[in-house]
Amino acid sequence: MLQLYFNPPKSSWSLRVWILLKTLNIPFEPKIVRYQSDLNAQRQAFQQFSPTAKIPVLVDNGHTVWDSLAITEYVAEIYPQVWADDKIARAWSRSACAEMHSGFNVLREICDFRPLERITLTEIPAELANELSRIDQLWQEGLNRFAGNFLAGELFTAVDAFFVPIALRIETYGLHRYFSETSLAYQRRLLALPQLKTWLEG
């Protein structure tokens, strides 16, 4: 069975993989690990299962896969429902996931992942506003182009999992005004996932 090393509810990178597996009913053995105040001790502990001393990490019959995007692609080779059936929707989804995975650095820096808190930002820099606008554009494109409740169609897939932390950041930092009603309706659907409630309970 797949084993997943992750840290709820603090790791947004772990959340992406965990909620994908849970929502698609893909069986796995949870391996919960915790961040430590002593970073050297944490690194030593995480290096026991992670070559980068970071999470998430997936282990399958002794084979280790690290990084959330690599894990997603690995799981998709076993469970093709990870991605949309339609080739164009899959390509769009992979592009959106890659953009989320490597981009939006200002959002990550200013809006740290704190899903259980509510924080008021005194200022929204133009760079952050631009990134939020791009996310809104992506969400509207997927929802309109593939005409479903989720970004690649009617079913929850990997591209939705990659944006669940954004849905939570919108709540944490009160960023709703930067999103269209179409995007906010999608955000509410993500927040309503029963699996997400389980994650937030830690």
Side-chain angles (χ1 to χ4, degrees), residues 15-28 81-82 150 154-158 160-162 164 189-190 192-199:
L15 171 57
R16 293 181 172 93
V17 176
W18 182 91
I19 202 163
L20 178 67
L21 300 181
K22 293 293 285 187
T23 304
L24 298 185
N25 294 312
I26 296 172
F28 69 96
Q81 67 267 34
V82 163
F150 295 99
E154 201 55 42
L155 300 177
F156 182 97
T157 59
D160 302 294
F162 266 66
V164 167
R189 285 193 289 276
L190 293 183
L193 292 170
Q195 296 83 1
L196 184 56
K197 180 180 178 181
T198 300
W199 172 272

Side-chain angles (χ1 to χ4, degrees), residues 7 10 32-49 53 55:
N7 177 24
K10 294 183 177 181
I32 296 177
V33 295
R34 297 300 186 190
Y35 293 140
Q36 301 179 30
S37 56
D38 185 332
L39 295 182
N40 286 328
Q42 175 182 300
R43 172 174 288 276
Q44 291 177 7
F46 283 17
Q47 280 179 333
Q48 301 302 309
F49 58 84
I55 51 176

Side-chain angles (χ1 to χ4, degrees), residues 121-170:
L121 295 177
T122 57
E123 181 183 1
I124 301 291
E127 295 88 347
L128 175 56
N130 290 337
E131 290 188 356
L132 296 173
S133 176
R134 174 55 185 157
I135 294 170
D136 181 51
Q137 180 185 33
L138 267 176
W139 286 6
Q140 289 192 69
E141 181 182 357
L143 294 166
N144 292 325
R145 185 174 181 181
F146 304 112
N149 281 322
F150 295 99
L151 292 181
E154 201 55 42
L155 300 177
F156 182 97
T157 59
V159 67
D160 302 294
F162 266 66
F163 283 99
V164 167
I166 298 299
L168 289 167
R169 280 183 165 100
I170 292 171

Side-chain angles (χ1 to χ4, degrees), residues 45-111:
F46 283 17
Q47 280 179 333
Q48 301 302 309
F49 58 84
S50 171
T52 61
K54 298 178 180 179
I55 51 176
V57 166
L58 188 79
V59 178
D60 183 19
N61 292 322
H63 176 64
T64 300
V65 186
W66 63 98
D67 185 276
S68 57
L69 191 54
I71 293 170
T72 297
E73 291 289 9
Y74 181 84
V75 174
E77 294 186 19
I78 309 169
Y79 300 95
Q81 67 267 34
V82 163
W83 298 111
D85 289 336
D86 178 72
K87 180 175 74 171
I88 301 303
R90 285 200 307 276
W92 184 90
S93 297
R94 284 188 164 102
S95 296
C97 283
E99 184 175 353
M100 180 69 256
H101 188 263
S102 63
F104 305 106
N105 295 321
V106 176
L107 176 63
R108 298 182 203 278
E109 180 180 347
I110 295 177
C111 301

